[in-house]
Amino acid sequence: MVVVGVSERPDNLARNIVENLFEFQFSGEIFFVGKRGGILFGRRICTSMEDLHEGIDVAVILTPAQTVPGILESCGQKGIRWAIIETGGFREYSEEGAQLENEILQIARKWGIRFVGPNGIGLMNVHNGFVVPFVKLRRGPVNKGKMSILAQSGGVLLAYANLLTSANVGLSKIVSMGNKMDLNEIDYLKYLIEDPQTEIIGLYLESLERGRELMDIARSTSKPIILHKANTGESSRHIAKLHTAALANDDRIVEAALRQADIIRTKDFRSFVNAVKILSLPPIKGKNLVIISRSGGIGVVAADSAERHGFHLLPPDKTLQERFHSFFRAKVIQPTNPLDLGDLFNFDLYTNILQQVLKFPVVDGILFMHGATAEEKEPSRRFIQAVKDLSIQYQKPVALQYNTDEEELAYIKRALDYPVFAEPEDALMALAVSRDHYRKLNILKEEPTFFSANRDRVEHLFQKARGEERDLLLPEAFEVLQAYGISVADYRVVQGKGDLQKAIEKLGKPVALKVLSPQISHKSDVGGIILHLQTTREIEEAYHRIKKITPGDSFGVLIQKMVSSGKEVILGGKRDPSFGPIVLFGLGGIYVEVLQETSLRIAPVNRFEAQEMISELKSTAILKGIRGEPPSDRDSLIENLLRLSQLMVDFPEIEGVDINPLIVLEKGAIAVDARIVLKNAKGIAHDV
Amino acid sequence: MVVVGVSERPDNLARNIVENLFEFQFSGEIFFVGKRGGILFGRRICTSMEDLHEGIDVAVILTPAQTVPGILESCGQKGIRWAIIETGGFREYSEEGAQLENEILQIARKWGIRFVGPNGIGLMNVHNGFVVPFVKLRRGPVNKGKMSILAQSGGVLLAYANLLTSANVGLSKIVSMGNKMDLNEIDYLKYLIEDPQTEIIGLYLESLERGRELMDIARSTSKPIILHKANTGESSRHIAKLHTAALANDDRIVEAALRQADIIRTKDFRSFVNAVKILSLPPIKGKNLVIISRSGGIGVVAADSAERHGFHLLPPDKTLQERFHSFFRAKVIQPTNPLDLGDLFNFDLYTNILQQVLKFPVVDGILFMHGATAEEKEPSRRFIQAVKDLSIQYQKPVALQYNTDEEELAYIKRALDYPVFAEPEDALMALAVSRDHYRKLNILKEEPTFFSANRDRVEHLFQKARGEERDLLLPEAFEVLQAYGISVADYRVVQGKGDLQKAIEKLGKPVALKVLSPQISHKSDVGGIILHLQTTREIEEAYHRIKKITPGDSFGVLIQKMVSSGKEVILGGKRDPSFGPIVLFGLGGIYVEVLQETSLRIAPVNRFEAQEMISELKSTAILKGIRGEPPSDRDSLIENLLRLSQLMVDFPEIEGVDINPLIVLEKGAIAVDARIVLKNAKGIAHDV
């Protein structure tokens, strides 16, 4: 390897790279390039890339931005196919920087060079000592381990390395991805998923340009991925753009996507570290938790926290109760959960209790709230070793919270290699991550339902609209929905008074009339929708009023049977630049206006996800039927969501779909109005 | 002082009490009592209380529960007027234990003895070395300081002592209150508020029997009170009762009360410790925050977190922008907020930047995200000292987050006595506590508005109803509301057809008819409310139907003018055993049914609190007017809430009031139905 940018000066940053390689005992040969020349660590600094031998694998570059294209060109000539560019001052800094970056990319493509960065602090492979950040690091506390981290910020990467090291989590590979000009998180992830030295993957991202690929990759591996996605707010957006050229995503879409792909999302450092800790224990396969505590009070705090995190505290089970009773008969202790160990001071007995509880099939995991006085340190350490063994033996997590002084905590972490949580809330937050992750692993297996659909008809309608450079007219949108099995309220398109009479006879009353014109996308804004027409006279009057809106047009007027009962909901589809097709759901009418509650998922959605979309909205309580009304047909609503999802996936040329409202009846559901916007058509802004 | 329950045996728990007194260098004389006698630490153990000298101030008792009454009796005889009872096995354990506890209380009352406990681990006064927990403690890391803690659990108390000591927070008095049989949190708080060695008070409670007193005491002091109130869930309730005999409170009421009294509420250990840390800095008096970070990425994380916690990131201010510009002209750094220090490595420059920013009046505080490599430790320590000085000089908080290794963190905490936050989220959570606390201090000064009311009339109506052992009839409830200036929709009580005709003429149409009977509390359940009566014939028919419900009664039928427009809301009053009068607010009709959103406050409420009650409900967006409707009269709604609050405060005999609905109009608001339940009357269950 070669480090480019070194000098004899003691404040030279590239020198830190070399010192890190020494500190972490990298075993390869290291060459130096620096324009001032001289000697560093007994080896001559080449003043030009030309002076290098052939056969170098990788170059680490830390020179001023404008020199980087030239150096990369030399790398190409010398047969170097890998580079790590740590230099900043590119896209994140200025317009000229962005041009330089493009130049670099072209040179790399020409020579087949793949590179990390620019504008990152490099990477570390703790296992082979290839540690090249320009910030000096100490090997001392860093353990070799199975945790790898990719980060879009060097500072955050180092913060995580510090925190994980403090928590005694061993590290494998960590990468500061910088501007991700060539290699990006998807490339690194592909590597880490195959890497036998990596078992848990952590990610820090400020932007997600490849959302869909990320989902696919996460679904392809059983290695857990924890993502700290930052840059969610207004104020962070500006600074994120400046320092790593990150663009902002719609965070609601990110949230849904990560959930669907079972990527564990964290929003701060603490929850990230807690998640890593719990993933080193066996998973908790259900919500039945037993809390055992040396202090009643801490048991109370833990029970509150357990409830907040959706755990169920046994014992409801009679056998467990009796077992506890027989076990504690001699002791003044009540067989409760949380179990207060109170006056028991025997650590061997603790081990025994743990084992008895773990044996019960109904128990999914244990939270043990530990504490030890100065005198108890020795037996306490033995006990923690026993906890570790039991957790492995029964393949259930025993999360350990330990209230003791700082030195003892440090000892436990380093010497016993068992995760310790600082307080009940940390442990329960972590256990919830483990439970949800395990649960999701199973849910994800469910394939999206496949519905047969008349794709040819849809294709034909799209071609026609594209040919005429317009979006779909209402009857066409209705036809698309019907081709995908979504019911539409009976309608006719009428061109004159005779037509109108016939339509009224066919449809019955009351009806609605709607204007038809490719020029009008918001029909109600121009008075183009008239509802609740009861009599023939009313209908005729309304017909004339609507005709006047578009005097020249020949598209006719749509007459539609009013749906008299049911609940209005809104189904939507849109396309995200990072995640692709998305489906949306919300309650219609006053609810969406006042509460602005909607849910969304990345398409295709499976049945379980569609159910979640409905149940996660508070306002959908109305679908259960209030004030003695019958409940609405939830199954039909779910099916319509799934059909819309399939439509969005089947036709990438759809920019947006808006079924507003779909009326959910006691039995079935009917679309009453709809809009379909095609890509590159004279589209209409589509709101989430 | 005397320690009762000691023996020569090495596992004797009371012996730990003595060792703690030695360890913490208590300067008073210590006597021992233990039934086995012998010699401990060179002093004879008296076998009986009789053998003690006169003139002992305080007894610390750790003997089996059944011996405690006798020992306390001896204390009385010996003139000991203070006791700390650490023994368990009382009310929290069994029925007999509860009886023993009552016995103890009677003996104490007889002799004028005040006592701590029972069932606690005692207390610590770090300043004078009176440290009597039966758990052995080490003085080493414990600093003398200004933080005092009261806890209803010994385990939680020790956990806090450990955590605060780790965070370098000095301690003053800590008390394990146990079952609070005699002395309770109110007594201790009264002491701590006067105590010159206490500046911040922490509380851990599992039950709040004296909620109103707690509010009053908190309002009487400028010392901040931080409360970790646990036992909020179903599962914790049982165990809390077992270990300290704590009953459960309605947590929504607790939440409102603490907010109104500006008691800082925390739900886990971390937020408690963060709150303590920030309270040692000057308060942040507004929401304008500047974030300065050595890493762009950590700045992004901090900005996200700042937004979540309601901070506003300058610069909107042009002067500050220009100042930044001139300041950084020579450097490749952009004047943004968060400010990324990026390539600046000069710690003196950091100090200078901090000072420049603090000088701006518009800046309320700074969050500095620090990090230092091994080489930078020395200048970094000097910088932190400068941060500390600047924070005091400008009386604005500079919250410091420090990303470094564990040893350096430990050094900073111990040596510099400046709070350091582990991650951005901690710092921002803490800054939000400081901001809200400061803001509340000013809001609380607002006195509740006083309305003149016809109290005599209300008194008369209550006496009449009490005399007849019934709740108020609807017209009486209306009269009470009117006496307090709450408008009621026009009504008449009619006794026959002639009456009815006259009433219709007076009121106009449409009207509603309502049954009147002290036997019927839920009128609609029996068909006793008929609404929207348009014609005289409809009214007459309805009148006969209602008369049939109560054939024997002579209370008549209420006829009331229908209110044709406006928004339905619900106002309520109830009485909590711990907090006294409470007012409730919610939207009526479909909103309360589907969303079940209500807000509540402890009465009396001031105008600001009433405003909050309305604005904290998402559904009140409807009052702003949707679909082109005019907005509802929010001021009138607020005034009605204040009037109801005053009614609840003026008449402690009111158990509950239910104004459902109050119709808020474009101008004004009118009560349409109401129920008032008196204490000890044949009351009706009242739901929140």
Side-chain angles (χ1 to χ4, degrees):
Chain A
M1 66 170 292
V2 57
V3 183
V4 188
V6 297
S7 82
E8 288 182 335
R9 290 178 49 186
D11 65 348
N12 168 252
L13 282 175
R15 192 187 173 124
N16 289 337
I17 298 173
V18 181
E19 290 192 41
N20 281 331
L21 288 161
F22 291 172
E23 169 85 12
F24 284 82
Q25 302 176 320
F26 176 61
S27 60
E29 199 174 358
I30 310 168
F31 298 93
F32 305 144
V33 171
K35 65 174 183 194
R36 286 198 189 81
I39 290 176
L40 185 67
F41 299 118
R43 178 181 277 274
R44 184 160 299 281
I45 301 171
C46 305
T47 52
S48 156
M49 294 290 290
E50 311 294 312
D51 302 344
L52 289 174
H53 299 269
E54 299 289 321
I56 291 176
D57 296 310
V58 53
V60 182
I61 301 167
L62 185 56
T63 60
Q66 69 277 13
T67 67
V68 176
I71 291 167
L72 210 63
E73 178 68 34
S74 305
C75 285
Q77 288 165 4
K78 284 283 170 185
I80 300 173
R81 293 294 169 262
W82 300 95
I84 296 157
I85 306 171
E86 302 189 6
T87 309
F90 290 93
R91 185 158 42 117
E92 81 286 1
Y93 184 63
S94 64
E95 211 28 69
E96 299 80 56
Q99 282 169 22
L100 265 181
E101 207 171 282
N102 288 332
E103 210 176 311
I104 288 173
L105 190 62
Q106 279 160 24
I107 295 167
R109 293 267 189 276
K110 182 177 74 180
W111 291 106
I113 298 172
R114 304 304 307 263
F115 65 93
V116 178
N119 188 32
I121 61 158
L123 54 83
M124 286 174 80
N125 179 340
V126 178
H127 287 273
N128 72 2
F130 186 77
V131 173
V132 298
F134 61 81
V135 179
K136 240 181 102 184
L137 302 167
R138 288 186 313 121
R139 186 163 62 102
V142 180
N143 290 335
K144 289 182 189 177
K146 55 189 181 180
M147 173 86 208
S148 290
I149 316 174
L150 309 171
Q152 202 166 350
S153 152
V156 171
L157 187 68
L158 291 180
Y160 272 121
N162 265 327
L163 288 168
L164 290 167
T165 298
S166 293
N168 193 43
V169 175
L171 300 176
S172 180
K173 323 278 188 301
I174 75 173
V175 183
S176 166
M177 299 186 292
N179 290 3
K180 306 190 287 188
M181 188 65 189
D182 175 27
L183 293 169
N184 60 53
E185 63 270 24
I186 304 299
D187 301 303
Y188 299 117
L189 279 170
K190 281 181 186 158
Y191 173 84
L192 292 177
I193 281 168
E194 299 300 323
D195 177 28
Q197 287 167 337
T198 295
E199 286 182 24
I200 304 177
I201 300 168
L203 263 168
Y204 170 81
L205 290 176
E206 289 168 5
S207 63
L208 254 173
E209 294 89 4
R210 292 170 184 81
R212 196 145 196 117
E213 284 172 86
L214 180 67
M215 290 179 77
D216 291 343
I217 241 179
R219 283 168 166 161
S220 76
T221 178
S222 62
K223 294 184 184 178
I225 298 175
I226 306 168
L227 169 58
H228 181 170
K229 166 70 177 67
N231 185 18
T232 55
E234 284 303 320
S235 3
S236 53
R237 202 155 293 172
H238 184 59
I239 186 78
K241 187 143 189 270
L242 280 176
H243 93 106
T244 44
L247 298 170
N249 298 84
D250 178 339
D251 203 59
R252 293 184 58 211
I253 295 177
V254 172
E255 194 76 45
L258 300 183
R259 193 167 162 178
Q260 285 178 271
D262 198 13
I263 295 171
I264 298 162
R265 183 183 192 173
T266 61
K267 289 187 180 175
D268 55 29
F269 290 87
R270 174 165 90 143
S271 47
F272 187 103
V273 174
N274 285 334
V276 173
K277 283 181 184 175
I278 206 73
L279 290 170
S280 69
L281 299 183
I284 182 159
K285 292 174 185 158
K287 58 178 186 172
N288 288 329
L289 186 71
V290 173
I291 297 176
I292 305 178
S293 176
R294 290 200 74 187
S295 146
I298 296 184
V300 170
V301 174
D304 283 344
S305 184
E307 203 163 304
R308 278 201 297 276
H309 288 286
F311 284 101
H312 178 56
L313 296 191
L314 303 159
D317 183 87
K318 228 178 155 194
T319 341
L320 184 58
Q321 286 244 21
E322 278 161 18
R323 185 77 152 252
F324 266 44
H325 260 298
S326 72
F327 202 72
F328 294 118
R329 201 170 307 168
K331 304 280 163 189
V332 280
I333 202 167
Q334 305 252 17
T336 54
N337 184 9
L339 179 67
D340 180 0
L341 294 175
D343 300 328
L344 286 183
F345 294 97
N346 182 335
F347 283 73
D348 293 333
L349 197 53
Y350 295 175
T351 308
N352 204 333
I353 291 171
L354 267 187
Q355 182 154 25
Q356 297 302 324
V357 173
L358 284 171
K359 268 184 187 166
F360 276 90
V362 69
V363 172
D364 296 312
I366 292 181
L367 171 59
F368 194 95
M369 320 298 289
H370 190 41
T373 61
E375 282 78 29
E376 292 172 329
K377 279 181 184 175
E378 272 312 315
S380 162
R381 289 172 186 185
R382 283 198 305 276
F383 168 67
I384 294 173
Q385 182 59 52
V387 166
K388 188 174 168 177
D389 297 341
L390 284 172
S391 181
I392 293 165
Q393 185 187 338
Y394 289 93
Q395 280 299 296
K396 294 176 182 179
V398 181
L400 192 70
Q401 186 266 339
Y402 196 7
N403 173 34
T404 187
D405 57 65
E406 271 195 335
E407 294 100 281
E408 183 63 9
L409 267 186
Y411 176 87
I412 297 297
K413 283 190 285 189
R414 297 270 152 85
L416 292 179
D417 193 20
Y418 194 77
V420 172
F421 295 93
E423 63 158 297
E425 176 66 15
D426 285 301
L428 285 155
M429 174 199 287
L431 283 167
V433 163
S434 175
R435 176 198 62 205
D436 295 345
H437 182 63
Y438 185 83
R439 186 166 143 265
K440 274 284 176 181
L441 278 180
N442 297 314
I443 288 166
L444 291 179
K445 287 176 194 150
E446 194 193 309
E447 289 292 320
T449 319
F450 178 79
F451 299 95
S452 64
N454 187 347
R455 294 180 56 141
D456 291 344
R457 180 67 191 150
V458 174
E459 189 55 58
H460 169 77
L461 288 163
F462 285 179
Q463 268 172 16
K464 186 159 172 261
R466 268 202 303 266
E468 297 171 20
E469 289 186 341
R470 58 167 178 82
D471 283 323
L472 269 65
L473 288 166
L474 182 55
E476 292 169 322
F478 281 157
E479 274 198 67
V480 171
L481 297 185
Q482 285 168 322
Y484 270 72
I486 297 170
S487 302
V488 174
D490 267 2
Y491 67 90
R492 294 285 184 285
V493 176
V494 293
Q495 295 286 1
K497 267 191 119 172
D499 263 14
L500 186 63
Q501 274 312 328
K502 267 185 270 172
I504 297 170
E505 277 161 37
K506 281 282 182 194
L507 297 171
K509 285 173 262 187
V511 298
L513 293 189
K514 298 177 182 178
V515 68
L516 292 181
S517 162
Q519 262 72 52
I520 297 167
S521 53
H522 289 90
K523 296 184 286 293
S524 26
D525 292 355
V526 294
I529 298 188
I530 305 175
L531 303 174
H532 303 293
L533 300 166
Q534 304 276 1
T535 66
T536 306
R537 214 183 117 198
E538 280 175 2
I539 298 170
E540 284 174 354
E541 276 174 19
Y543 177 79
H544 289 300
R545 258 189 288 155
I546 283 184
K547 281 302 282 180
K548 275 187 202 140
I549 300 172
T550 54
D553 268 359
S554 58
F555 294 93
V557 171
L558 189 131
I559 172 167
Q560 189 172 36
K561 184 78 203 291
M562 288 294 297
V563 180
S564 57
S565 66
K567 292 279 169 280
E568 290 189 12
V569 303
I570 299 171
L571 305 190
K574 64 174 219 165
R575 212 160 289 276
D576 181 79
S578 174
F579 290 97
I582 284 164
V583 287
L584 302 146
F585 166 73
L587 250 78
I590 213 164
Y591 287 93
V592 78
E593 282 176 61
V594 175
L595 303 170
Q596 299 174 338
E597 269 196 334
T598 53
S599 58
L600 59 84
R601 289 291 183 282
I602 314 298
V605 297
N606 64 29
R607 196 166 288 271
F608 178 84
E609 290 162 341
Q611 272 161 355
E612 271 189 338
M613 285 181 78
I614 298 167
S615 57
E616 77 187 32
L617 299 189
K618 217 174 160 189
S619 50
T620 47
I622 203 176
L623 297 176
K624 288 177 187 151
I626 49 167
R627 298 186 165 174
E629 291 169 343
S632 306
D633 188 342
R634 203 181 175 92
D635 287 341
S636 170
L637 173 55
I638 289 167
E639 195 182 303
N640 278 292
L641 264 168
L642 296 176
R643 288 176 182 275
L644 174 61
S645 159
Q646 187 175 324
L647 173 65
M648 287 300 295
V649 172
D650 285 353
F651 289 93
E653 60 261 58
I654 300 178
E655 187 61 43
V657 176
D658 202 1
I659 307 178
N660 181 7
L662 176 84
I663 298 185
V664 189
L665 306 169
E666 208 179 328
K667 191 113 197 70
I670 299 179
V672 163
D673 206 350
R675 212 168 50 176
I676 294 178
V677 179
L678 298 180
K679 259 186 197 160
N680 304 323
K682 207 171 56 54
I684 301 139
H686 191 88
D687 311 316
V688 175
Chain B
M1 66 169 293
V2 57
V3 182
V4 187
V6 298
S7 82
E8 288 182 336
R9 289 177 51 186
D11 65 349
N12 168 254
L13 282 177
R15 192 188 173 123
N16 290 338
I17 299 173
V18 181
E19 291 192 40
N20 282 331
L21 288 162
F22 291 172
E23 169 86 12
F24 284 81
Q25 302 177 320
F26 176 62
S27 61
E29 199 174 358
I30 310 167
F31 298 93
F32 305 146
V33 171
K35 66 175 183 196
R36 287 197 189 81
I39 289 177
L40 184 67
F41 299 118
R43 178 181 280 273
R44 186 160 298 282
I45 301 171
C46 305
T47 53
S48 156
M49 294 290 290
E50 310 293 313
D51 302 344
L52 290 174
H53 298 270
E54 299 290 319
I56 290 177
D57 296 310
V58 54
V60 181
I61 302 167
L62 185 55
T63 60
Q66 69 278 12
T67 67
V68 175
I71 291 167
L72 210 62
E73 178 68 34
S74 305
C75 285
Q77 287 165 5
K78 284 282 171 187
I80 301 173
R81 293 293 169 262
W82 300 94
I84 296 156
I85 306 172
E86 303 189 6
T87 310
F90 290 94
R91 184 157 44 118
E92 81 286 1
Y93 184 63
S94 64
E95 213 27 70
E96 299 80 56
Q99 281 168 25
L100 263 182
E101 207 172 280
N102 288 332
E103 211 176 308
I104 287 172
L105 191 63
Q106 278 159 25
I107 295 168
R109 294 267 188 275
K110 184 176 74 179
W111 290 105
I113 299 172
R114 304 303 307 264
F115 65 93
V116 177
N119 188 35
I121 61 159
L123 54 83
M124 285 175 81
N125 178 340
V126 178
H127 287 273
N128 73 1
F130 186 76
V131 173
V132 298
F134 61 80
V135 180
K136 240 181 103 182
L137 302 167
R138 289 187 312 121
R139 186 162 62 102
V142 180
N143 290 336
K144 289 182 190 178
K146 54 188 181 181
M147 172 87 209
S148 290
I149 316 174
L150 309 171
Q152 202 166 351
S153 152
V156 172
L157 187 67
L158 290 180
Y160 272 121
N162 265 326
L163 287 168
L164 291 168
T165 298
S166 293
N168 192 43
V169 175
L171 300 176
S172 179
K173 324 283 189 292
I174 74 173
V175 184
S176 166
M177 300 186 290
N179 289 3
K180 306 191 285 189
M181 187 65 190
D182 175 26
L183 292 168
N184 60 52
E185 62 271 24
I186 304 300
D187 301 305
Y188 299 118
L189 279 171
K190 282 181 184 157
Y191 173 85
L192 293 176
I193 281 169
E194 300 299 322
D195 177 28
Q197 288 167 336
T198 295
E199 287 181 23
I200 304 176
I201 301 167
L203 264 167
Y204 170 81
L205 289 176
E206 289 168 6
S207 62
L208 255 173
E209 293 89 3
R210 294 170 184 80
R212 198 145 195 117
E213 285 173 85
L214 181 66
M215 290 178 78
D216 291 342
I217 242 179
R219 282 168 167 162
S220 76
T221 178
S222 62
K223 294 184 184 178
I225 298 175
I226 306 168
L227 169 58
H228 181 169
K229 167 69 176 67
N231 184 19
T232 56
E234 283 304 318
S235 3
S236 53
R237 202 156 292 172
H238 183 59
I239 185 80
K241 187 143 190 267
L242 279 174
H243 93 107
T244 44
L247 298 170
N249 299 82
D250 178 339
D251 203 59
R252 292 184 58 209
I253 296 176
V254 171
E255 194 76 45
L258 300 183
R259 193 168 162 177
Q260 286 178 269
D262 198 13
I263 295 171
I264 298 163
R265 184 183 192 173
T266 60
K267 288 186 180 173
D268 54 30
F269 290 87
R270 173 164 90 142
S271 46
F272 187 104
V273 174
N274 285 334
V276 173
K277 283 181 184 176
I278 206 73
L279 290 169
S280 69
L281 298 183
I284 182 159
K285 292 174 185 157
K287 59 178 186 172
N288 288 330
L289 185 71
V290 172
I291 297 176
I292 305 177
S293 176
R294 290 201 73 187
S295 146
I298 297 183
V300 171
V301 174
D304 283 345
S305 185
E307 203 163 305
R308 279 201 296 276
H309 288 286
F311 284 101
H312 178 57
L313 295 191
L314 305 159
D317 183 86
K318 224 171 160 205
T319 340
L320 184 58
Q321 285 245 22
E322 278 162 18
R323 185 77 153 249
F324 266 43
H325 260 299
S326 73
F327 204 72
F328 293 118
R329 201 170 308 167
K331 304 280 165 189
V332 280
I333 202 167
Q334 305 250 17
T336 54
N337 184 11
L339 178 67
D340 180 0
L341 295 175
D343 300 329
L344 287 183
F345 294 98
N346 181 336
F347 283 73
D348 293 333
L349 197 52
Y350 295 175
T351 308
N352 204 334
I353 292 171
L354 267 187
Q355 182 155 22
Q356 297 303 324
V357 173
L358 284 171
K359 268 185 186 166
F360 276 89
V362 69
V363 172
D364 296 311
I366 292 181
L367 171 60
F368 194 94
M369 322 297 290
H370 190 41
T373 61
E375 282 78 29
E376 292 172 328
K377 279 182 184 175
E378 272 312 315
S380 162
R381 289 173 187 184
R382 282 198 305 276
F383 168 68
I384 294 173
Q385 182 60 50
V387 166
K388 189 174 169 177
D389 297 340
L390 284 172
S391 182
I392 293 165
Q393 184 188 337
Y394 289 93
Q395 280 299 297
K396 295 177 181 179
V398 181
L400 191 70
Q401 186 266 340
Y402 196 7
N403 172 34
T404 188
D405 58 65
E406 270 192 336
E407 293 100 282
E408 183 62 10
L409 267 186
Y411 175 86
I412 296 298
K413 284 188 286 191
R414 296 271 151 86
L416 291 180
D417 192 20
Y418 194 78
V420 172
F421 295 93
E423 63 158 296
E425 176 66 14
D426 284 301
L428 285 155
M429 174 198 287
L431 283 168
V433 163
S434 175
R435 177 198 60 205
D436 295 344
H437 181 64
Y438 184 83
R439 188 165 142 264
K440 274 284 176 183
L441 278 180
N442 297 314
I443 289 166
L444 291 180
K445 288 176 193 150
E446 193 192 311
E447 289 292 320
T449 318
F450 178 78
F451 299 95
S452 64
N454 188 346
R455 294 179 57 143
D456 292 345
R457 180 67 191 149
V458 175
E459 189 55 58
H460 169 77
L461 289 163
F462 285 179
Q463 266 173 18
K464 185 157 174 265
R466 266 201 304 266
E468 295 170 21
E469 289 185 342
R470 57 167 178 83
D471 282 324
L472 269 64
L473 289 167
L474 182 54
E476 293 169 323
F478 280 157
E479 275 198 66
V480 170
L481 297 185
Q482 284 167 323
Y484 270 73
I486 296 170
S487 302
V488 174
D490 267 2
Y491 66 91
R492 295 284 184 285
V493 176
V494 292
Q495 295 287 359
K497 267 191 117 170
D499 263 13
L500 187 62
Q501 275 310 330
K502 268 186 271 172
I504 296 171
E505 278 161 36
K506 282 281 181 195
L507 297 171
K509 285 173 265 190
V511 297
L513 294 189
K514 297 177 182 180
V515 69
L516 293 180
S517 161
Q519 263 72 51
I520 297 167
S521 54
H522 289 91
K523 298 184 286 291
S524 26
D525 292 356
V526 294
I529 297 187
I530 305 175
L531 302 174
H532 303 294
L533 299 166
Q534 304 276 0
T535 66
T536 307
R537 213 182 117 199
E538 280 175 3
I539 296 170
E540 284 174 354
E541 275 175 19
Y543 178 78
H544 290 300
R545 260 189 287 156
I546 282 183
K547 282 301 284 180
K548 275 187 203 140
I549 300 171
T550 54
D553 267 359
S554 57
F555 293 94
V557 171
L558 189 131
I559 173 167
Q560 188 172 36
K561 184 79 202 293
M562 288 295 296
V563 179
S564 57
S565 66
K567 292 279 169 282
E568 290 189 11
V569 303
I570 299 171
L571 306 191
K574 65 173 221 164
R575 212 159 287 277
D576 181 79
S578 174
F579 290 97
I582 282 164
V583 287
L584 303 146
F585 165 73
L587 251 78
I590 215 164
Y591 287 93
V592 77
E593 281 176 63
V594 176
L595 303 170
Q596 298 173 340
E597 270 197 333
T598 53
S599 58
L600 59 84
R601 290 291 183 282
I602 315 298
V605 297
N606 63 30
R607 197 167 287 271
F608 179 85
E609 289 162 340
Q611 272 161 354
E612 270 190 340
M613 285 181 77
I614 297 167
S615 57
E616 78 187 31
L617 299 189
K618 215 172 161 189
S619 51
T620 48
I622 203 175
L623 297 176
K624 289 178 187 152
I626 50 168
R627 297 186 166 175
E629 291 169 344
S632 306
D633 189 343
R634 203 180 174 92
D635 287 340
S636 169
L637 172 56
I638 289 168
E639 195 182 302
N640 279 292
L641 264 169
L642 296 176
R643 289 176 182 275
L644 174 61
S645 159
Q646 187 175 324
L647 172 66
M648 286 301 294
V649 172
D650 284 353
F651 290 92
E653 60 261 59
I654 300 178
E655 189 59 45
V657 176
D658 202 359
I659 307 178
N660 181 7
L662 176 85
I663 297 186
V664 188
L665 306 169
E666 209 178 328
K667 191 113 198 73
I670 299 178
V672 163
D673 207 351
R675 213 168 50 176
I676 294 178
V677 180
L678 298 180
K679 260 188 196 157
N680 305 322
K682 208 172 55 57
I684 300 139
H686 192 87
D687 310 317
V688 175

